[in-house]
Amino acid sequence: MIFQWFKRILHLKKAAAPENHGKQEIVDLIDFLWKQIKMPSNNNSLQTKVKAFRELSAAKKIASLPQIYLSIEQHIIEQEKGDRQAIASIRHTIFNEFDSLLKHKSFKLIFAPLKEQELTLCKVFLSEVLEKSSELVGKFNEPRIIQIKKHLETDYDFLTIDLIRERKKLLEFSNEIFLKIKNTLGINAITNIYLVIYKKHFESYHLLDSFTAILNVIPEEILAKDLINFPSKQQMLKMLQKQLLSLEEINERLTEEIIERTKVEEELKYSEHLNTTILETAMDGVILVNSQGIVLNWNKQAENILELKREETIGKSIYSLVPYKLRQELQRSFNNYIQTGSDELINKRVETSVNRKNGTVVYVELTIIAIETKDDYLFNAFFRDITNKKIIDNEIREAKVLAEKSAKAKSVFLSNMSHEIRTPLNVILGLTGILQKSDFTNLQVDKKNLDGIQFSAENLLVLINDILDFSKIEAGKLSLHNTDFNLQELIINISRGFKIKADEKGLDYKMIIDPLLPKFIIGDQLRLNQILINLLGNAIKFTHKGEITIHIKPEKLEEQHITINFSVQDTGVGIPKDKLNTIFESFYQVHKPGKNKIEGTGLGLSISKQLIELQGGELNAQSEPGKGSTFEFSIKYHKSNFISTNLINEGKTTSKNTHNLSGMKVLVVEDNKMNQFFIKQLLSNWEIDTDVAENGKIALKKIENSMYDLILMDMHMPVMDGPETAAIIRQSNNPYISQIPIVACSADVFPESKKKATKSGMNFYLTKPLSEKALEEILFSLKPNNNQKDIDFNKVSENVKNAIPPSKRICDLSFLKETFDNDREVIKSVLQIFTEDTPIDYEKLKLCIKNQEFLTTKETAHKLKSSFKTIGLNNEASILQEIENASRDEIDFTQIEKLFQKLEQSFPKILIEVAQHIRDLNS
């Protein structure tokens, strides 16, 4: 046991011996160098460095040896006033007496020739970058990085190496390392790695003339970042300073070496040209001044930024060219630096502004570097124009403020919306649950529950429309649609729903419609409906007792127009006078959150105001807190020639009004047999004589031989489509033909289709499946014996789409049942035509897609779409619409095939279900 301990102690002493020997040799070297300095006590900074160095551990002494040696050597050179004989003697001593220290590569490279130093420094620098990176990334396994690492670890043979080619190779290695680490850790991490290694080398070797070679292997992307801690500009100044010293040495030699005069002059010219080129091509403005502020140099970029020519500034005081405040700062900084060697403005990056000659202000990023010369101090200013950056920063700050305000408004809006949407949803779900449990014995109660569901659903729709319309108005994309509509019916329907709500709150609801008002007018029915719903909704919402009154009256009558005044009055809480101008702002609410908070989106009045203004009107508000409010507006409308089909008896069904349309003759131009049958059955219920043409070409022949009161024209047909046929009819020389009213029938709901129909000369536009009521209104307006005069067929009737209720089955036959009064035979015939014709068209569509025929695919999909819609296959009709659009736009058939695969999954089930419906109807 004792033997083992003794053996270990001996081993430790042996191991420590070389370390102690190396440490002592370094100390001896420093002692030797210190003796070469004359009056070392005059340099406190160097004394402090040497004292600190002596206290370091052996390992740290080895690492810091290059730095301390070069510092002492530089002091000796300055002491000897540039005479390098003393340095040569010192180095000779080191090679003879301290040769064991040259085994350390970091120390040995100091004594190598300049070119060898440059390559070795670059190589060591990249090795350390790679080593530092592996600490973060882990061991590199990529063959290329391993190859680079091996190359960096191999010693050079300077007798055979091509220095220029090797320098280029090291730069390539650096770029590869940079990209690798950048992709793994990010640009900030790899920049920091290069910066840390650079600073380490800077501390050790910045006194070597070869040190700046390291900049050659730093990637341009890092140098372009212009980091404050990355002293590339200072190094450039150091190079310029050394070149100035070199020029002084050359001038001194000229007196002794007259023979080399020509060569020296050429070198001077080239050096000066190089310096000038560097300064003139610099991206930054550069201004060189002396300690008195006299301008010595002014480069091209300085001319561009400050808009002052070089000849206007050289030899003049810089103080006369800058604002008073900056002038004071410069004078103080120059004086401080000359006296103390430091200042907060010198060697720092600051932002300031300068007034140009024309009075404009330019913002600059300024760095001033001090250069100590033999007789004076020079101050070199580097600056760049950051005016655009300042503008962008200001815009970002303003945008941030706006974004914060917007976020706050949206937060309030979402909070309100969450409540507003849940309220009608809770009513709908609650009443639906009651209806599901009802045995439907008390029809009056069930009717009220259904009314409540409808009213809540309409309120929910209003909320959603608020959001959509607000977005459209803000984007400037909202358009108005002028169509014939029943004004009185609109007011009655709106009031019916709000009267229920008023009754629930114990309020009186009054509706006053002036008897002089026409029943039909031409305008945007949906927008008027939306405005009145917003105003009435607010009136009921903010009224707790009293009454709500809606008053509609004519304000101005003209030959073709009528101006109608609408007012909504309540006895509610009222609005303070100072708030009347702000209630129309988006998301604004008068009543803040609290005990008596009244919910709302804050969009209703804003949207209503903009909708009224779009129609040429103005929304006015009068209010008094505690007494109520009145909202009033007037809109100018076109007069309409429509006469209601329900004038005889509002309560009678359509079937009892058929005698009003009997005797009319209609031509149905339609290629889909199912649609042909559907329309013929619909018209036969009104005792209308019907002819059918399968395309436009046949239709043109028929109108040559027969007189028709109306043409129902499909938009998409083979041989000749609807718009083409309508255009030919309108160009006819026969007035009986050219004036026939034409109704476009299409499954397209896009505005482009409607525009195309109107442009071709069609008078009306109805969407499939056809609305019975809309078609009846058109036919009734065309009936000669209905006392209607001067019909304007260029008025386009409103698109009416029947809402189809949801169904658990694939097919929804509610539209067919409603249209044909639940006539089982007619419905069965429609379904039988579907089972006979649709599979043929379906297989045709399948083949067209397989053969990648865009045109026939589009036409067949369009034809199938209307058949699918008629029996309530809305989902499948939407897929066919997508196929039609994709074919029209000639999108890749891969997408069309994917859409068709969706149909493939449901089509067999559809046929089975239609067959089941037919069996049910038979039974």
Side-chain angles (χ1 to χ4, degrees):
M1 192 76 170
I2 295 172
F3 176 76
Q4 292 292 335
W5 174 80
F6 187 76
K7 185 177 179 181
R8 188 166 68 253
I9 291 298
L10 286 176
H11 176 75
L12 289 172
K13 286 185 176 181
K14 288 179 181 178
E19 180 180 348
N20 291 333
H21 176 72
K23 183 176 180 180
Q24 184 59 46
E25 192 170 17
I26 293 173
V27 172
D28 293 341
L29 173 61
I30 299 305
D31 290 339
F32 163 74
L33 292 172
W34 193 249
K35 291 176 182 178
Q36 311 306 312
I37 298 176
K38 299 173 184 176
M39 294 182 294
S41 59
N42 292 343
N43 194 316
N44 294 330
S45 174
L46 187 59
Q47 274 187 326
T48 304
K49 281 185 181 179
V50 172
K51 185 177 179 181
F53 179 84
R54 292 180 187 278
E55 294 175 1
L56 296 175
S57 65
K60 289 186 177 179
K61 275 189 172 68
I62 293 170
S64 302
L65 183 57
Q67 180 184 356
I68 194 68
Y69 172 79
L70 289 172
S71 297
I72 295 172
E73 188 183 75
Q74 179 67 21
H75 186 82
I76 294 170
I77 291 173
E78 291 173 359
Q79 161 184 294
E80 298 298 330
K81 296 184 178 180
D83 186 1
R84 293 188 171 268
Q85 290 297 326
I87 298 302
S89 175
I90 288 171
R91 292 194 172 191
H92 181 75
T93 303
I94 290 172
F95 275 92
N96 291 330
E97 298 181 16
F98 302 94
D99 59 320
S100 61
L101 294 177
L102 298 176
K103 67 182 180 183
H104 303 296
K105 290 183 179 180
S106 60
F107 185 63
K108 183 180 178 181
L109 71 83
I110 293 173
F111 307 98
L114 181 64
K115 297 300 181 183
E116 294 182 19
Q117 281 184 14
E118 289 179 349
L119 283 183
T120 305
L121 276 172
C122 293
K123 195 174 183 183
V124 172
F125 176 83
L126 290 180
S127 295
E128 292 187 22
V129 168
L130 204 53
E131 183 181 350
K132 188 72 176 177
S133 301
S134 65
E135 293 176 10
L136 300 175
V137 179
K139 186 177 180 181
F140 291 103
N141 296 320
E142 294 185 16
R144 180 57 179 166
I145 301 298
I146 293 171
Q147 183 183 354
I148 291 172
K149 186 177 180 183
K150 185 177 179 182
H151 183 91
L152 295 175
E153 291 172 353
T154 305
D155 291 332
Y156 283 130
D157 181 3
F158 288 103
L159 296 175
T160 58
I161 194 169
D162 186 335
L163 296 176
I164 296 175
R165 186 176 298 173
E166 183 62 19
R167 187 180 298 157
K168 184 178 178 183
K169 184 185 290 184
L170 289 175
L171 176 58
E172 291 173 356
F173 287 167
S174 180
N175 286 329
E176 289 182 59
I177 294 169
F178 171 78
L179 289 175
K180 169 64 181 173
I181 309 305
K182 175 185 172 184
N183 294 335
T184 305
L185 299 177
I187 182 63
N188 290 334
I190 185 60
T191 301
N192 286 334
I193 289 171
Y194 270 82
L195 181 58
V196 167
I197 305 303
Y198 182 91
K199 288 174 71 176
K200 177 183 174 184
H201 280 248
F202 181 83
E203 290 173 357
S204 296
Y205 303 110
H206 71 278
L207 292 172
L208 287 176
D209 291 340
S210 60
F211 172 73
T212 53
I214 289 178
L215 296 175
N216 294 328
V217 294
I218 295 178
E220 288 184 4
E221 191 168 347
I222 294 179
L223 291 174
K225 295 178 80 66
D226 200 18
L227 298 171
I228 295 173
N229 295 324
F230 216 113
S232 58
K233 287 183 179 176
Q234 289 85 338
Q235 286 304 306
M236 185 178 77
L237 290 171
K238 177 174 172 290
M239 291 170 66
L240 291 173
Q241 190 175 12
K242 287 185 177 181
Q243 286 177 356
L244 287 172
L245 293 172
S246 176
L247 289 174
E248 290 176 2
E249 292 175 6
I250 292 171
N251 284 329
E252 291 174 2
R253 260 199 340 265
L254 283 174
T255 57
E256 302 172 0
E257 302 175 7
I258 301 299
I259 301 173
E260 298 180 4
R261 186 183 186 93
T262 305
K263 181 180 178 182
V264 171
E265 285 180 353
E266 289 176 357
E267 289 179 358
L268 281 170
K269 287 179 182 178
Y270 177 75
S271 179
E272 185 179 354
H273 171 73
L274 183 61
N275 293 340
T276 303
T277 303
I278 291 172
L279 291 174
E280 289 301 311
T281 57
M283 294 297 292
D284 289 351
V286 181
I287 300 175
L288 182 67
V289 300
N290 62 16
S291 57
Q292 283 74 45
I294 302 302
V295 178
L296 305 178
N297 202 353
W298 187 285
N299 78 338
K300 188 68 177 175
Q301 192 64 6
E303 288 185 351
N304 297 335
I305 295 173
L306 301 180
E307 296 182 355
L308 278 172
K309 295 294 182 182
R310 189 172 185 274
E311 52 270 20
E312 297 179 61
T313 61
I314 297 296
K316 295 182 180 179
S317 173
I318 189 68
Y319 303 132
S320 64
L321 305 173
V322 296
Y324 178 74
K325 186 178 179 181
L326 181 58
R327 182 189 314 162
Q328 287 186 314
E329 290 181 4
L330 288 176
Q331 288 175 331
R332 177 185 52 78
S333 296
F334 290 173
N335 292 333
N336 280 353
Y337 191 85
I338 292 169
Q339 293 172 11
T340 65
S342 65
D343 184 78
E344 60 184 17
L345 188 62
I346 307 300
N347 298 329
K348 302 287 193 309
R349 194 183 304 278
V350 297
E351 292 183 2
T352 186
S353 62
V354 180
N355 292 331
R356 291 191 178 116
K357 201 173 183 179
N358 60 8
T360 59
V361 177
V362 59
Y363 291 91
V364 296
E365 186 180 72
L366 174 66
T367 303
I368 300 177
I369 307 299
I371 305 171
E372 186 177 358
T373 63
K374 187 175 180 180
D375 301 319
D376 195 8
Y377 282 90
L378 299 180
F379 296 94
N380 210 4
F382 295 85
F383 59 96
R384 62 182 54 181
D385 187 350
I386 58 167
T387 305
N388 286 337
K389 178 177 175 290
K390 279 284 185 183
I391 293 171
I392 293 169
D393 288 344
N394 290 334
E395 289 176 351
I396 290 172
R397 278 193 292 272
E398 291 173 3
K400 182 175 179 290
V401 173
L402 289 174
E404 287 171 351
K405 287 183 180 179
S406 176
K408 186 176 180 181
K410 287 177 182 176
S411 176
V412 174
F413 167 70
L414 289 174
S415 175
N416 294 337
M417 284 301 297
S418 65
H419 175 86
E420 290 292 320
I421 290 175
R422 283 191 179 94
T423 300
L425 275 178
N426 287 336
V427 174
I428 292 169
L429 293 173
L431 293 179
T432 303
I434 293 171
L435 283 173
Q436 285 177 331
K437 297 173 184 177
S438 173
D439 56 2
F440 301 103
T441 56
N442 191 337
L443 295 179
Q444 188 175 2
V445 173
D446 293 336
K447 174 80 166 53
K448 285 186 177 180
N449 288 336
L450 286 171
D451 289 341
I453 290 173
Q454 182 181 4
F455 182 75
S456 296
E458 288 172 353
N459 281 346
L460 184 60
L461 183 61
V462 168
L463 293 171
I464 295 169
N465 284 340
D466 273 359
I467 302 168
L468 297 177
D469 285 344
F470 180 73
S471 300
K472 287 182 180 178
I473 291 171
E474 290 294 296
K477 294 182 178 178
L478 187 71
S479 57
L480 299 173
H481 302 282
N482 290 324
T483 55
D484 297 85
F485 70 93
N486 190 327
L487 175 62
Q488 296 184 24
E489 185 179 277
L490 171 70
I491 304 301
I492 291 168
N493 287 338
I494 292 173
S495 296
R496 185 181 294 119
F498 281 106
K499 190 174 189 313
I500 296 171
K501 193 70 175 175
D503 291 342
E504 289 176 357
K505 294 187 71 174
L507 304 173
D508 290 332
Y509 185 93
K510 294 182 180 179
M511 177 182 65
I512 304 173
I513 301 177
D514 193 294
L516 293 177
L517 276 177
K519 195 157 192 176
F520 287 96
I521 57 174
I522 299 174
D524 196 318
Q525 175 184 359
L526 294 177
R527 300 307 172 195
L528 178 59
N529 182 76
Q530 188 176 357
I531 294 165
L532 293 176
I533 285 175
N534 281 335
L535 296 180
L536 286 169
N538 280 347
I540 290 178
K541 188 186 299 181
F542 292 103
T543 303
H544 304 300
K545 61 180 180 178
E547 64 182 23
I548 310 294
T549 303
I550 177 171
H551 191 182
I552 301 97
K553 61 183 178 182
E555 188 174 278
K556 185 179 180 182
L557 288 169
E558 300 175 50
E559 185 178 351
Q560 299 294 331
H561 298 90
I562 179 170
T563 302
I564 301 175
N565 178 267
F566 302 84
S567 70
V568 175
Q569 187 174 2
D570 65 65
T571 57
V573 295
I575 303 166
K577 191 173 182 179
D578 60 335
K579 304 291 185 185
L580 277 174
N581 293 328
T582 55
I583 58 174
F584 301 113
E585 294 178 5
S586 306
F587 305 114
Y588 181 83
Q589 293 173 305
V590 174
H591 300 272
K592 302 297 181 184
K595 182 179 177 182
N596 298 319
K597 179 181 186 301
I598 299 175
E599 306 291 350
T601 64
L603 286 175
L605 285 177
S606 174
I607 291 173
S608 298
K609 182 176 185 295
Q610 293 181 72
L611 288 176
I612 291 167
E613 289 173 352
L614 278 173
Q615 298 175 84
E618 182 180 353
L619 179 59
N620 297 310
Q622 297 177 352
S623 184
E624 188 175 343
K627 292 188 177 181
S629 306
T630 300
F631 288 86
E632 185 179 20
F633 65 94
S634 298
I635 297 177
K636 187 176 182 180
Y637 291 102
H638 286 276
K639 290 182 178 179
S640 173
N641 294 317
F642 266 22
I643 300 173
S644 174
T645 58
N646 297 324
L647 281 176
I648 298 173
N649 189 340
E650 289 284 345
K652 292 182 180 180
T653 61
T654 305
S655 60
K656 294 184 180 180
N657 286 328
T658 54
H659 60 278
N660 291 329
L661 301 175
S662 61
M664 295 185 74
K665 190 170 184 179
V666 174
L667 175 61
V668 178
V669 188
E670 170 69 64
D671 64 321
N672 187 304
K673 289 186 178 180
M674 185 171 166
N675 286 339
Q676 292 173 3
F677 179 81
F678 169 80
I679 297 171
K680 284 182 72 175
Q681 287 296 322
L682 183 60
L683 295 176
S684 66
N685 288 341
W686 298 329
E687 299 178 8
I688 293 175
D689 187 15
T690 308
D691 273 358
V692 175
E694 293 189 352
N695 58 58
K697 195 171 184 179
I698 298 173
L700 292 175
K701 290 181 180 178
K702 284 184 175 288
I703 61 176
E704 290 286 342
N705 301 317
S706 299
M707 293 285 293
Y708 296 100
D709 296 300
L710 182 73
I711 299 174
L712 293 177
M713 183 81 72
D714 184 28
M715 290 287 287
H716 301 275
M717 295 176 291
V719 184
M720 185 181 290
D721 64 13
E724 186 181 354
T725 308
I728 294 172
I729 292 172
R730 291 291 177 249
Q731 293 169 6
S732 173
N733 294 324
N734 187 339
Y736 293 104
I737 294 175
S738 62
Q739 296 299 320
I740 299 175
I742 304 174
V743 177
C745 304
S746 176
D748 281 347
V749 295
F750 298 108
E752 291 78 9
S753 298
K754 187 174 181 180
K755 288 178 183 176
K756 189 175 181 182
T758 305
K759 188 176 180 180
S760 67
M762 299 190 194
N763 307 102
F764 306 94
Y765 190 93
L766 296 179
T767 54
K768 296 178 182 178
L770 296 180
S771 165
E772 178 184 0
K773 184 177 179 182
L775 182 58
E776 185 184 15
E777 290 284 359
I778 293 171
L779 289 167
F780 192 81
S781 67
L782 299 175
K783 179 73 174 173
N785 57 1
N786 278 333
N787 298 322
Q788 187 171 343
K789 298 178 182 180
D790 301 325
I791 297 173
D792 184 0
F793 293 123
N794 291 321
K795 304 298 181 187
V796 182
S797 84
E798 179 184 4
N799 295 344
V800 182
K801 292 179 66 179
N802 287 348
I804 301 175
S807 174
K808 293 182 180 179
R809 289 188 174 186
I810 301 174
C811 300
D812 182 0
L813 304 184
S814 58
F815 174 75
L816 285 174
K817 291 176 182 178
E818 183 181 347
T819 302
F820 297 113
D821 292 330
N822 212 13
D823 189 324
R824 299 163 73 88
E825 289 301 320
V826 174
I827 295 170
K828 184 176 70 174
S829 300
V830 173
L831 295 177
Q832 284 174 339
I833 293 173
F834 181 89
T835 57
E836 292 169 5
D837 289 0
T838 306
I840 298 171
D841 291 331
Y842 183 82
E843 290 300 321
K844 180 181 177 182
L845 177 62
K846 189 174 183 179
L847 183 63
C848 292
I849 293 173
K850 183 180 179 182
N851 295 334
Q852 299 190 353
E853 300 170 357
F854 283 115
L855 180 60
T856 49
T857 298
K858 178 176 78 71
E859 292 174 350
T860 311
H862 179 83
K863 183 178 179 182
L864 278 169
K865 178 177 63 180
S866 59
S867 299
F868 277 54
K869 273 191 174 182
T870 301
I871 64 171
L873 295 168
N874 292 328
N875 185 45
E876 286 72 16
S878 297
I879 295 171
L880 286 164
Q881 179 70 62
E882 290 184 54
I883 292 174
E884 181 183 352
N885 293 342
S887 305
R888 180 190 61 212
D889 299 335
E890 296 190 0
I891 294 173
D892 185 16
F893 261 96
T894 305
Q895 184 176 340
I896 297 174
E897 288 170 356
K898 288 180 180 178
L899 291 169
F900 186 74
Q901 286 172 6
K902 296 179 182 179
L903 284 180
E904 288 274 58
Q905 297 172 5
S906 59
F907 189 66
K909 298 176 185 177
I910 293 169
L911 294 177
I912 293 170
E913 187 174 317
V914 171
Q916 179 63 47
H917 279 300
I918 294 171
R919 286 196 295 271
D920 292 344
L921 290 167
N922 284 330
S923 63

